[in-house]
Amino acid sequence: MNTKELLDQFKGHRTTAKHTVLSTTTEQLRITDEVTGENQVFSPSVYQSCMHPETIRIYEMTLQIISDTELQIQTHYGKWTVNLSGKRVEVSDWKGEIHKVDCKKCENCGRCGW
């Protein structure tokens, strides 16, 4: 897949002087290597404060198109450069959700809400 095909799958993007940049809080990206079948999933990030569980924030995922086959993906927790040659890319809807944890050993972190 090339980056022009990827643009068609996203709902919105903006073009800067040098690169096309896509930012999303509602879509995730699955990149599958067509030779090995290995998957990589990139999505926005959900953050919930352990000290104030009512504080929930969604950090967007940003994609920057470097060339016809190269893509830079950035989330709140990391940055990756991916070569899309020989890879299948799927864009799907994503919804940030907080899941209750089921800890075996309680450390009073506050994540469970009590």
Side-chain angles (χ1 to χ4, degrees):
M1 168 176 270
N2 65 34
T3 54
K4 292 186 187 335
E5 294 168 349
L6 178 64
L7 280 178
D8 294 338
Q9 294 183 41
F10 266 87
K11 294 176 183 168
H13 65 276
R14 68 183 194 277
T15 303
T16 64
K18 292 183 177 183
H19 303 288
T20 300
V21 178
L22 303 110
S23 297
T24 183
T25 58
T26 60
E27 295 168 301
Q28 74 176 3
L29 198 64
R30 178 185 302 267
I31 301 173
T32 305
D33 188 310
E34 293 181 338
V35 175
T36 65
E38 182 180 318
N39 285 321
Q40 291 179 294
V41 177
F42 299 96
S43 63
S45 304
V46 176
Y47 169 78
Q48 181 179 26
S49 171
C50 64
M51 298 303 290
H52 304 282
E54 69 279 359
T55 303
I56 298 171
R57 184 171 182 180
I58 296 177
Y59 292 107
E60 69 184 7
M61 175 179 64
T62 304
L63 309 174
Q64 184 173 354
I65 295 177
I66 306 296
S67 69
D68 284 345
T69 59
E70 198 168 62
L71 178 68
Q72 186 176 69
I73 302 168
Q74 183 172 356
T75 66
H76 184 70
Y77 299 105
K79 185 186 242 184
W80 303 267
T81 300
V82 179
N83 188 331
L84 299 178
S85 297
K87 299 198 169 91
R88 184 176 69 244
V89 179
E90 300 170 56
V91 177
S92 59
D93 290 338
W94 179 86
K95 183 178 180 193
E97 296 177 340
I98 299 295
H99 303 281
K100 292 282 187 187
V101 295
D102 185 22
C103 300
K104 302 277 188 242
K105 180 181 172 190
C106 182
E107 296 180 5
N108 294 323
C109 69
R111 288 177 44 198
C112 62
W114 82 264

